Amino acid sequence: MKKRNVLLMAVTVGLMLTACGDPQEADDTMSGSTVESSTQIQSQEPETLPASQEYVSTDGTYKVILLEGLTQTDMPLQVGTSMMALEGGTERVGFSGVSVGSSKSNIPGNPDNVENLEDYADYINDLILSGSGATVNWEDTDAPAAKDAQQCLAKEGVARIGASQGLAYGYYIESADSYFSVVIVGNDDDVEEAKQIIGLEILDGSSAQAGTVDFINSMTAVLDSVNGASLRETFKMLEDMGADKSQLETLAAQARQSLSDSWGIENAADLIETADWLITEGHNQDALEFFNEYGGTTETDRDAFAAALESQNLEEGISVSLLAVYDAKSAYGDGAIAAWDLSRVGTIMGFGYASGYCTYEEAMDKILEAAEKSQQLFNSWEDFNKSYLYGYSYWAEESLDDSGSSAAERAELVNSLESQANGPFSMDWNMELLKEW
């Protein structure tokens, strides 16, 4: 297998092409896994095993045990998901792998058909190999056990890229709330050696140090989860990797179209003007003015205000929007739904960067302004997210209490992300924000 970066390039392009927003007790013998007895372990001569090395994810949630001397390239596609590429370089030409770790609610690409570890393994294999030109006839095989995992699976098969042929191996584990995987492709000897020592270990995330970029990524975590990845971080990674210009232009064209259709942004001036509007006024100002037009005041009892709206025979969507503003203004005053605006500064600036309307640094500088404004208006991630959801309810004209609405789905996603021990909203809200780029 001679094609370098096959898995690394394929997974990032595949992600963006697909993007548009009861646990069982662990057992000593896990389904799909085999556990060596103590006598078998003792009989194995350590010196016969290939030299191994630990590769820790940037968020500190897991580590991969694989062949020594591989080059680790971190892939920050979105907050709450940790991906890394592991390449053999000149020592093991053609050997490459991709490892992924994420919560079950934040799988890259946002698939809607992953119900269990088997589904996850099939999805990850398709995602990683999509667009690489590689084909693999996957078959189940025995999987090594992993500490703290509820289930482990392994798959292997012959990998073909054009006239080249080698082996592929995938290892996948599941915890109560997350999935982890590592998929490798390479020459027969290299993959066979890797299979002898390969492993995944779940960590507690305490080794990761959150910074300003992480804070910024958390601000857009909800929509990035819906879309399957952060376009801003994905595009930068592809640029840094030296991706083919045609691949970058495909993403750039999609970004430009999205900005034009959704925001009327056609150039750099439009982009900055819109971002500044979101930071200083945005839909929040529109919502407050709309609220005042209908005699809204938070001094009025909510039920009385709802009754007054009903007496006017308003369309249901208008009433829902006004009640969302009532709740938001009651909680956050004139900041009401500002988080809805400020979170989307990160989105449009990321799309603007991919479109070529600004540099990465210019995009991050503007998003930093939105982050600083967010800290001024809100006291916690919980407050920020509530304001965001009120804003979504106002914008979509859908009640957060309507279980069948997209607003309720968005609220469920927020709750899921908030519940993650090392998720996007686990970092200190009051951390000092610094320019790190």
Side-chain angles (χ1 to χ4, degrees):
M1 306 290 287
K2 297 181 180 180
K3 191 169 183 179
R4 193 168 181 267
N5 280 333
V6 166
L7 301 186
L8 177 60
M9 295 298 294
V11 69
T12 53
V13 175
L15 273 173
M16 293 317 301
L17 290 178
T18 60
C20 293
D22 297 320
Q24 298 177 349
E25 291 295 326
D27 198 301
D28 289 337
T29 56
M30 292 173 262
S31 173
S33 69
T34 59
V35 182
E36 292 184 289
S37 68
S38 60
T39 55
Q40 287 175 313
I41 294 174
Q42 292 171 1
S43 65
Q44 173 68 59
E45 294 292 337
E47 60 268 22
T48 64
L49 294 176
S52 64
Q53 183 175 333
E54 296 179 350
Y55 302 90
V56 180
S57 64
T58 54
D59 62 359
T61 57
Y62 75 101
K63 66 181 176 183
V64 177
I65 297 89
L66 209 54
L67 297 169
E68 185 179 55
L70 303 179
T71 299
Q72 177 177 340
T73 302
D74 296 307
M75 307 162 66
L77 297 181
Q78 64 185 47
V79 68
T81 296
S82 184
M83 304 181 70
M84 65 175 108
L86 299 166
E87 294 186 83
T90 57
E91 295 298 317
R92 297 181 184 273
V93 177
F95 182 91
S96 62
V98 170
S99 182
V100 184
S102 71
S103 69
K104 293 178 179 179
S105 63
N106 203 31
I107 301 172
N110 192 26
D112 57 6
N113 60 344
V114 173
E115 302 293 338
N116 51 49
L117 187 59
E118 183 71 38
D119 290 343
Y120 172 78
D122 291 340
Y123 170 75
I124 286 294
N125 291 344
D126 289 343
L127 176 66
I128 288 177
L129 294 176
S130 174
S132 69
T135 59
V136 180
N137 57 330
W138 294 107
E139 295 181 358
D140 292 337
T141 187
D142 291 336
K147 182 182 178 182
D148 298 327
Q150 293 187 332
Q151 189 177 15
C152 304
L153 289 176
K155 293 178 179 290
E156 62 183 357
V158 175
R160 293 183 174 84
I161 302 178
S164 300
Q165 178 175 304
L167 293 181
Y169 180 85
Y171 180 43
Y172 325 86
I173 68 174
E174 175 183 8
S175 68
D177 60 3
S178 300
Y179 291 122
F180 305 89
S181 61
V182 56
V183 179
I184 57 176
V185 173
N187 297 318
D188 294 8
D189 291 344
D190 290 338
V191 174
E192 290 295 348
E193 285 192 0
K195 286 167 56 180
Q196 295 180 57
I197 47 89
I198 196 169
L200 284 167
E201 185 175 332
I202 301 171
L203 305 175
D204 63 8
S206 60
S207 63
Q209 294 294 321
T212 302
V213 174
D214 299 298
F215 188 98
I216 283 173
N217 288 339
S218 292
M219 289 179 61
T220 60
V222 177
L223 188 56
D224 288 344
S225 297
V226 172
N227 287 339
S230 164
L231 177 58
R232 181 186 68 251
E233 296 303 320
T234 301
F235 197 87
K236 183 177 188 302
M237 181 175 56
L238 286 169
E239 277 196 323
D240 292 345
M241 287 162 44
D244 185 90
K245 289 184 178 180
S246 63
Q247 295 172 329
L248 293 174
E249 181 51 37
T250 296
L251 297 183
Q254 293 174 349
R256 287 192 290 269
Q257 190 65 49
S258 180
L259 288 176
S260 177
D261 292 345
S262 300
W263 293 90
I265 295 174
E266 304 291 347
N267 51 49
D270 290 345
L271 176 68
I272 299 304
E273 181 181 355
T274 303
D276 287 339
W277 174 75
L278 287 171
I279 293 172
T280 58
E281 298 180 18
H283 295 93
N284 183 62
Q285 186 63 38
D286 291 343
L288 293 174
E289 293 175 359
F290 183 53
F291 186 63
N292 290 335
E293 285 179 15
Y294 284 87
T297 171
T298 53
E299 296 178 1
T300 304
D301 179 78
R302 189 182 192 280
D303 290 338
F305 180 60
L309 294 178
E310 186 175 356
S311 67
Q312 298 180 56
N313 296 317
L314 301 174
E315 294 181 7
E316 182 179 0
I318 293 178
S319 295
V320 167
S321 291
L322 288 167
L323 287 171
V325 181
Y326 178 97
D327 292 335
K329 185 171 174 54
S330 296
Y332 306 116
D334 289 342
I337 64 167
W340 170 245
D341 295 319
L342 295 169
S343 70
R344 294 191 297 165
V345 172
T347 298
I348 68 166
M349 292 307 299
F351 275 63
Y353 158 58
S355 297
Y357 297 156
C358 67
T359 66
Y360 180 80
E361 181 177 9
E362 289 169 339
M364 295 298 286
D365 286 348
K366 185 59 65 175
I367 303 169
L368 180 57
E369 291 182 34
E372 292 170 339
K373 179 72 173 289
S374 297
Q375 285 186 329
Q376 293 169 12
L377 292 175
F378 305 103
N379 295 319
S380 65
W381 284 113
E382 181 181 8
D383 288 338
F384 181 84
N385 289 334
K386 284 183 178 179
S387 172
Y388 170 91
L389 289 173
Y390 287 140
Y392 186 94
S393 177
Y394 163 79
W395 175 78
E397 298 186 349
E398 294 180 354
S399 172
L400 295 168
D401 297 325
D402 180 0
S403 60
S405 69
S406 63
E409 291 180 359
R410 192 64 61 96
E412 183 178 354
L413 175 56
V414 168
N415 289 335
S416 176
L417 293 173
E418 287 182 332
S419 68
Q420 296 171 18
N422 298 299
F425 306 124
S426 61
M427 70 184 67
D428 180 13
W429 171 260
N430 295 309
M431 67 181 292
E432 183 181 6
L433 299 178
L434 303 171
K435 181 170 178 174
E436 301 173 345
W437 43 89

